[in-house]
Amino acid sequence: MQEAVVLGGVQDRLELLGVRRVGVRREHREFTANGPDVRHLALADCAEDAGVLLAGHQQDHGHDQDGIDAMTALLKRQAAAMGSAARVVAAYDGPRMAGFCLYYHYASTTWIRAVAVDRTRAAPHLYFNLMYYLPIHDAYAHGSTALHAGMTTVEAKRRRGAVVTGLYALADRQRPAPKA
């Protein structure tokens, strides 16, 4: 069993962030003071820029085979398959994307799929603004009741109000083709 990190009811999370409002406001103020241009886009409109950042993120985490071409192709396939449901919140430093978060609204949950930042150009608190605060607000506006934030960096997510829950899966064994 793996753990999923879910920011429970989105409205509850906004209220919980209110309890942490001094720290959240400081992180957001420092983020916006550095002037990143925040854009909400369809993945199809920024897959190449996001692919560059995602490749760098993957390589920083030891996945050297996940180069720019592979990550851009992956994102383009997701954009084609998911259409307008593949949403991105991105921060730009001039014409260059400095970070992004890819997420999907499905049923009553907003699912975060990928986050990457350019650490050489990152504004303060860029990661957590892209990973939590901006998607939470978009999820709330969309009517989502939960935000699924993935299965890593659990402690940092808990500090921002995440609830860790069990995640179960069934084995999908390939069955032999029926005999004629």
Side-chain angles (χ1 to χ4, degrees):
M1 180 176 76
Q2 294 186 344
E3 294 179 328
V5 180
V6 179
L7 295 178
V10 172
Q11 182 61 39
D12 295 340
R13 293 308 114 200
L14 291 173
E15 290 168 9
L16 182 126
L17 292 177
V19 172
R20 273 197 77 239
R21 69 182 172 268
V22 172
V24 171
R25 283 182 185 160
R26 180 186 50 79
E27 288 180 357
H28 187 67
R29 185 176 53 249
E30 290 174 8
F31 169 70
T32 57
N34 285 286
D37 176 22
V38 175
R39 302 178 195 170
H40 294 268
L41 308 162
L43 177 58
D45 296 335
C46 61
E48 291 182 9
D49 289 342
V52 171
L53 290 176
L54 188 56
H57 175 81
Q58 291 294 93
Q59 289 173 352
D60 286 348
H61 289 85
H63 303 283
D64 294 330
Q65 71 279 10
D66 296 336
I68 292 172
D69 291 341
M71 293 296 96
T72 300
L74 171 72
L75 293 176
K76 285 182 176 182
R77 285 193 308 273
Q78 288 184 33
M82 298 301 292
S84 64
R87 303 298 308 157
V88 169
V89 60
Y92 282 82
D93 180 12
R96 188 167 177 215
M97 184 184 281
F100 79 96
C101 176
L102 167 63
Y103 57 93
Y104 303 97
H105 298 300
Y106 179 74
S108 62
T109 301
T110 296
W111 302 82
I112 293 178
R113 176 65 184 98
V115 179
V117 298
D118 178 347
R119 294 179 190 199
T120 66
R121 302 184 82 141
H125 311 290
L126 176 63
Y127 179 83
F128 283 107
N129 274 274
L130 291 173
M131 177 72 179
Y132 300 105
Y133 309 142
L134 297 170
I136 285 171
H137 285 284
D138 193 58
Y140 181 66
H142 183 76
S144 294
T145 58
L147 179 89
H148 187 284
M151 298 182 293
T152 59
T153 60
V154 173
E155 226 14 75
K157 292 172 183 174
R158 278 187 189 168
R159 285 193 304 271
R160 285 166 173 80
V163 175
V164 178
T165 62
L167 186 65
Y168 299 89
L170 299 174
D172 183 19
R173 295 189 181 119
Q174 186 174 14
R175 295 177 186 248
K179 296 182 181 179

